[in-house]
């Protein structure tokens, strides 16, 4: 494929994994994109308010800041997972408009024919060959996304759920930068969306399965889990997630997880 990639000095953050799994992957959220190549098996895929059944072979693309997870519907499945962030679009700016095609949806599922399946296996196996070279990973990821873009454009073998209107990306960027604040005014969010507060709540819950403030509380919870797992104290975690009172934070955490922050850390260490 004829592609011109513009190299920059900053290396993008690209993580890769391969596994055969037999269990559910809990619903989670993160501020980067996730590309799952389903080699064999069948999955029940959840993304915000959407639930899909996906049969192999397929590529599943989760947009950033979506609650997503999978559950096997048969005896296990084989999959590759690649996580990457916005740096890749800067790193490969010459084709950024094409490799970012999936960002208009919360989730995109691309069904693969036999030829595309074989091509994807070759590409994804290359991650294991190139190792931890982030620049090489960036170019490989860009090539895969470019191939998927041209393939789905030619075949139409794509299922997109809950399309993101232009204001959604701006809104989620705002939420991503402010959900750690002690308080976020719903009037600000509805203003970004260009809607009345009541209509905004309705539209947001329909797309994300949660009212906006509950969505942000869940973001706080996931961030708290990440901070506690990284070694932060309960007091520091409370402060960094917008809670001035560590005791209130502990009650918040227990109400939603069934364990206290201290018990959560102990379980993680076992």
């Amino acid at each position: 494929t004829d592609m011109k990639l513009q190299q920059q000095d900053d290396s993008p953050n690209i993580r890769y994994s391969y596994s055969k799994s037999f269990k559910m992957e809990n619903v989670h959220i993160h501020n980067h994109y996730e590309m799952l190549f389903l080699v064999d098996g069948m999955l029940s895929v959840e993304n915000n308010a959407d639930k899909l059944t996906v049969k192999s072979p397929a590529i599943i693309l989760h947009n950033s800041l979506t609650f997503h997870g999978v559950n096997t519907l048969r005896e296990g499945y084989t999959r590759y997972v690649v996580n990457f962030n916005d740096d890749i679009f800067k790193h490969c700016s010459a084709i950024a408009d094409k490799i970012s095609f999936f960002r208009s949806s919360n989730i995109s599922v691309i069904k693969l024919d036999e030829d595309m399946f074989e091509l994807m296996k070759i590409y994804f196996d290359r991650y294991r060959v190139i190792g931890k070279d982030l620049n090489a990973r960036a170019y490989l990821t860009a090539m895969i996304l470019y191939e998927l873009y041209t393939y789905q454009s030619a075949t139409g073998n794509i299922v997109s759920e809950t399309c993101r209107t232009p204001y959604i990306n701006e809104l989620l960027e705002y939420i991503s930068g402010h959900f750690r604040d002690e308080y976020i005014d719903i009037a600000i969010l509805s203003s970004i969306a260009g809607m009345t507060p009541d209509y905004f709540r309705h539209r947001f819950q329909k797309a994300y399965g949660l009212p906006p403030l509950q969505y942000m509380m869940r973001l706080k919870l996931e961030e708290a889990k990440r901070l506690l797992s990284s070694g932060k104290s309960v007091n520091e975690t409370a402060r960094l997630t917008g809670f001035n009172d560590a005791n209130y934070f502990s009650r918040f955490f227990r109400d939603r997880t069934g364990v206290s922050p201290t018990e959560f850390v102990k379980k993680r260490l076992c």
Side-chain angles (χ1 to χ4, degrees):
T1 304
D2 182 19
M3 294 191 298
K4 295 180 180 179
L5 302 179
Q6 178 179 330
Q7 184 166 354
Q8 299 181 0
D9 293 335
D10 55 330
S11 296
N13 180 17
I14 299 189
R15 289 176 287 174
Y16 156 81
S17 66
Y18 166 81
S19 71
K20 293 186 176 182
S21 184
F22 296 87
K23 62 181 181 180
M24 179 177 179
E25 296 181 1
N26 291 330
V27 173
H28 58 285
I29 190 168
H30 39 66
N31 194 20
H32 53 258
Y33 310 101
E34 183 173 301
M35 177 166 56
L36 186 153
F37 175 26
L38 181 60
V39 178
D40 61 52
M42 185 165 61
L43 296 176
S44 173
V45 181
E46 182 176 347
N47 184 297
N48 290 335
D50 299 314
K51 292 184 179 179
L52 302 171
T53 298
V54 180
K55 297 179 181 179
S56 61
I59 298 282
I60 303 167
L61 288 158
H62 292 287
N63 213 328
S64 60
L65 291 173
T66 59
F67 290 101
H68 59 276
V70 300
N71 190 13
T72 181
L73 295 178
R74 292 180 179 174
E75 294 183 357
Y77 58 93
T78 304
R79 56 96 168 109
Y80 298 82
V81 174
V82 177
N83 294 296
F84 56 97
N85 60 17
D86 284 320
D87 289 342
I88 192 173
F89 306 121
K90 303 171 187 175
H91 204 74
C92 306
S93 58
I95 55 171
D97 60 327
K98 294 180 175 61
I99 64 175
S100 61
F101 69 93
F102 62 92
R103 296 175 68 199
S104 61
S105 301
N106 286 333
I107 179 174
S108 299
V109 179
I110 303 175
K111 301 173 183 178
L112 306 179
D113 62 22
E114 186 175 346
D115 290 340
M116 193 62 175
F117 175 52
E118 294 300 324
L119 179 62
M120 288 295 103
K121 284 198 294 184
I122 293 171
Y123 274 135
F124 276 84
D125 278 337
R126 293 296 299 172
Y127 283 105
R128 289 191 274 188
V129 175
I130 63 179
K132 297 182 180 180
D133 186 327
L134 292 179
N135 287 320
R137 285 189 180 188
Y139 297 142
L140 178 57
T141 304
M143 289 176 67
I144 291 171
L145 291 171
Y146 187 86
E147 292 288 356
L148 291 172
Y149 164 76
T150 56
Y151 172 75
Q152 62 87 21
S153 296
T155 65
N157 289 352
I158 185 169
V159 177
S160 297
E161 295 293 323
T162 314
C163 290
R164 287 188 176 182
T165 51
Y167 77 83
I168 282 290
N169 286 326
E170 181 183 354
L171 180 67
L172 291 180
E173 286 178 9
Y174 181 87
I175 291 175
S176 176
H178 292 83
F179 76 87
R180 299 172 187 84
D181 297 349
E182 183 177 4
Y183 176 74
I184 297 181
D185 192 342
I186 194 70
I188 295 176
L189 300 180
S190 59
S191 176
I192 293 173
M195 302 175 184
T196 65
D198 287 343
Y199 186 59
F200 169 71
R201 289 188 187 93
H202 169 74
R203 288 290 301 274
F204 192 96
Q205 181 161 355
K206 184 176 180 180
Y208 287 90
L210 290 170
L213 294 183
Q214 286 187 31
Y215 176 89
M216 285 181 283
M217 288 297 102
R218 192 164 178 182
L219 286 179
K220 284 179 180 286
L221 179 64
E222 294 299 321
E223 178 70 357
K225 290 178 181 178
R226 186 188 69 79
L227 292 169
L228 291 168
S229 298
S230 71
K232 299 292 185 185
S233 68
V234 173
N235 286 340
E236 190 172 8
T237 298
R239 180 180 61 81
L240 291 173
T241 51
F243 293 89
N244 292 326
D245 185 338
N247 290 327
Y248 177 70
F249 164 73
S250 294
R251 291 195 298 272
F252 162 86
F253 194 93
R254 181 187 287 276
D255 286 345
R256 286 159 176 79
T257 65
V259 296
S260 69
T262 303
E263 292 168 335
F264 173 81
V265 172
K266 287 180 180 178
K267 287 186 176 182
R268 298 280 292 186
L269 295 175
C270 291

